[in-house]
């Protein structure tokens, strides 16, 4: 194991910061549990032992969520019935003191497994609700180009957003998408309507990820579910419905870093289709040299784009905690436009494009 061991005080700070973050952004349960776990870490207790082999930057890796995710996997997998009685995701009722005692029992009983997860298992999510933000962007591309879309995604995770055309949407008063889909995604909508008349046709779809998850693999599905917070029942239901849609025709996701993959994908010619590179909440994880490589590849392919083979770059990213931006750059013109200001989980869209 390389790297410097962190002090109990540093680790406790990371647990406290994550507790505040969870309490503020939708998980009072994790807020309460992590506050108590932070005190335990500061004392050098059970949680300090679980993260003792971890090396890295806890805030960047969301270390406390690694631990809680691994514990949630035990709960969802039926291996921690005591704690399941307190987690809404398994029909339980939360009460902080009892839940924390049960949490400690689970940690004690599965110490080796949780220690391993804390040092190696990255937090991995795939938020299908983001399709509600992305779909008006795809509609805009379809409206502008009149062509089928050749969809390419970087940082796909399990690829659930690659199937944006297989869901039904309620964007404020606007109804779009596949009316027969088992998954309805609703978002608040503010601003001019999306391009409702445009027809979405997907010519092909493919993604890449440094650590792709396979929707057919029960362990991977459990892993995705485990990183949903235990009181987010809507989110869990959406994830399960999206997995059902995806498993019927699993997405092709290459296990490759984005930089090299984008170059390969853009090297292939695709006349009669609009090539669309898209990503959501991925840019932050990509190091600067790889970002520059992607940008160069896009600009050089953009310079070769024509109205018969246009190129689009749709991204839901941002640098502010309060909101993300949906931006679209479309070649041959190469114009870059802010389309919307959006909630990071895709539940709010303020359309400005
Ligand atoms: C926060 S998740 C977002 C997943 C998905 N885009 C979504 O919106 O739900 C970030 C994903 O990016 C992947 N990732 C991180 N760095 C990457 C890189 N350099 N190349 C490709 N994928 C990467 C991670 O493995 C993870 O699946």
């Amino acid at each position: 194991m390389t790297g410097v061991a962190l002090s109990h005080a540093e680790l406790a700070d990371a647990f406290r910061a994550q507790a505040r973050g969870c309490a503020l952004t939708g998980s009072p349960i994790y807020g309460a549990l992590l506050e108590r776990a932070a005190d335990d870490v500061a004392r050098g207790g059970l949680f300090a032992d679980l993260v003792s082999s971890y090396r890295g930057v806890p805030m960047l890796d969301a270390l406390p969520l690694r631990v809680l995710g691994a514990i949630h996997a035990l709960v969802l997998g039926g291996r921690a019935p005591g704690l399941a009685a307190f987690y809404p995701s398994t029909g339980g009722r939360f009460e902080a003191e009892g839940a924390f005692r049960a949490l400690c029992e689970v940690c004690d009983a599965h110490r080796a497994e949780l220690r391993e997860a804390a040092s190696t298992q990255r937090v991995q999510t795939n938020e299908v609700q983001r399709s509600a933000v992305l779909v008006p962007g795809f509609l805009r591309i379809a409206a502008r180009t009149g062509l089928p879309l050749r969809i390419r995604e970087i940082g796909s995770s399990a690829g659930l957003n690659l199937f944006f055309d297989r869901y039904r949407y309620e964007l404020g008063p606007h109804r779009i998408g596949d009316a027969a889909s088992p998954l309805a995604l609703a978002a608040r909508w503010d601003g001019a309507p999306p391009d409702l008349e445009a027809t979405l046709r997907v010519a092909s779809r493919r993604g890449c990820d440094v650590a792709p998850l396979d929707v057919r693999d029960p362990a991977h599905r459990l892993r995705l579910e485990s990183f949903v917070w235990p009181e987010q029942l809507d989110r869990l239901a959406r994830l399960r419905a999206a997995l059902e849609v995806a498993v019927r025709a699993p997405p092709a996701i290459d296990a490759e870093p984005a930089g090299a993959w984008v170059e390969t994908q853009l090297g292939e010619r695709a006349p009669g289709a609009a090539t669309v590179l898209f990503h959501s909440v991925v840019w932050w994880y990509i190091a600067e040299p790889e970002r520059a490589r992607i940008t160069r590849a896009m600009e050089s392919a953009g310079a070769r784009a024509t109205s018969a083979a246009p190129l689009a770059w749709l991204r839901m990213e941002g640098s502010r905690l309060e909101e993300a931006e949906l931006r679209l750059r479309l070649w041959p013109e190469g114009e870059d436009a802010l389309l919307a200001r959006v909630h990071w989980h895709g539940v709010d869209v303020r359309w400005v494009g």
Side-chain angles (χ1 to χ4, degrees), residues 5-349:
L6 295 152
S7 69
H8 289 157
E10 286 168 315
L11 288 163
D13 282 349
F15 273 68
R16 273 207 186 88
Q18 188 70 64
R20 279 194 299 278
C22 287
L24 280 175
T25 56
S27 187
I29 291 184
Y30 275 3
L33 293 178
L34 285 172
E35 274 299 338
R36 288 163 175 77
D39 293 342
D40 172 273
V41 172
R43 286 194 298 271
L46 183 57
F47 283 87
D49 178 46
L50 291 186
V51 296
S52 57
S53 309
Y54 169 80
R55 303 289 181 270
V57 182
M59 285 302 286
L60 282 185
D61 289 330
L63 174 65
L65 294 183
R66 280 189 184 189
V67 178
L68 288 184
I71 294 170
H72 197 197
L74 295 172
V75 171
L76 291 169
R79 296 169 63 203
L83 185 56
F86 293 97
Y87 272 19
S89 54
T90 39
R93 246 181 92 105
F94 186 71
E95 176 271 303
E97 291 311 325
F100 188 66
R101 267 197 307 278
L103 186 77
C104 292
E105 280 163 23
V106 175
C107 292
D108 202 26
H110 300 274
R111 232 177 238 251
E113 188 175 337
L114 294 174
R115 244 204 221 125
E116 171 77 14
S119 21
T120 59
Q121 185 177 283
R122 301 197 307 172
V123 172
Q124 184 136 10
T125 53
N126 196 184
E127 182 47 75
V128 71
Q129 176 70 30
R130 293 189 184 122
S131 280
V133 163
L134 294 163
V135 83
F138 291 120
L139 281 169
R140 170 59 54 92
I141 300 164
R144 290 278 162 94
T145 64
L147 291 171
L149 308 181
R150 176 178 174 252
I151 300 292
R152 297 294 181 268
E153 180 188 22
I154 56 174
S156 302
S157 190
L160 301 181
N161 290 317
L162 276 168
F163 292 120
F164 61 87
D165 55 328
R166 298 202 185 147
Y167 310 135
R168 148 168 82 89
Y169 297 94
E170 297 167 8
L171 305 178
H174 313 296
R175 300 286 175 272
I176 48 183
D178 178 354
S181 177
L183 179 56
L185 299 172
R188 286 177 291 275
W189 181 274
D190 183 29
D195 293 283
L196 295 165
E197 303 310 320
T199 308
L200 275 182
R201 287 170 294 159
V202 174
S204 67
R205 64 188 99 219
R206 192 166 196 96
C208 83
D209 200 289
V210 281
L213 292 177
D214 184 342
V215 295
R216 289 161 298 191
D217 182 336
H220 285 196
R221 293 164 66 109
L222 178 63
R223 192 156 161 219
L224 273 177
E225 291 179 10
S226 73
F227 289 117
V228 174
W229 297 339
E231 64 269 73
Q232 295 185 316
L233 302 185
D234 288 353
R235 203 170 165 199
L236 197 56
R238 272 199 312 266
L239 171 62
R240 287 175 174 157
L243 286 167
E244 286 319 309
V245 172
V247 83
R248 288 183 210 151
I253 303 176
D254 300 310
E256 215 181 309
W261 187 82
V262 167
E263 284 174 0
T264 311
Q265 297 301 316
L266 295 180
E268 293 165 12
R269 285 180 43 78
T275 295
V276 182
L277 179 76
F278 86 95
H279 45 93
S280 56
V281 198
V282 174
W283 207 241
W284 159 263
Y285 299 94
I286 297 180
E288 190 46 47
E290 196 178 3
R291 287 184 184 181
R293 188 171 173 184
I294 296 166
T295 307
R296 266 197 314 274
M298 287 302 283
E299 283 173 349
S300 115
R304 299 190 303 272
T306 62
S307 54
L311 177 68
W313 191 0
L314 180 70
R315 58 252 190 240
M316 181 199 150
E317 303 286 352
S319 52
R320 301 178 59 218
L321 204 59
E322 302 77 41
E323 61 183 14
E325 293 183 344
L326 182 72
R327 302 194 74 91
L328 172 64
R329 191 161 175 197
L330 195 55
W331 287 270
E333 294 80 11
E335 72 196 43
D336 190 51
L338 173 67
L339 295 184
R341 298 186 191 285
V342 302
H343 185 280
W344 281 102
H345 287 162
V347 291
D348 244 319
V349 182

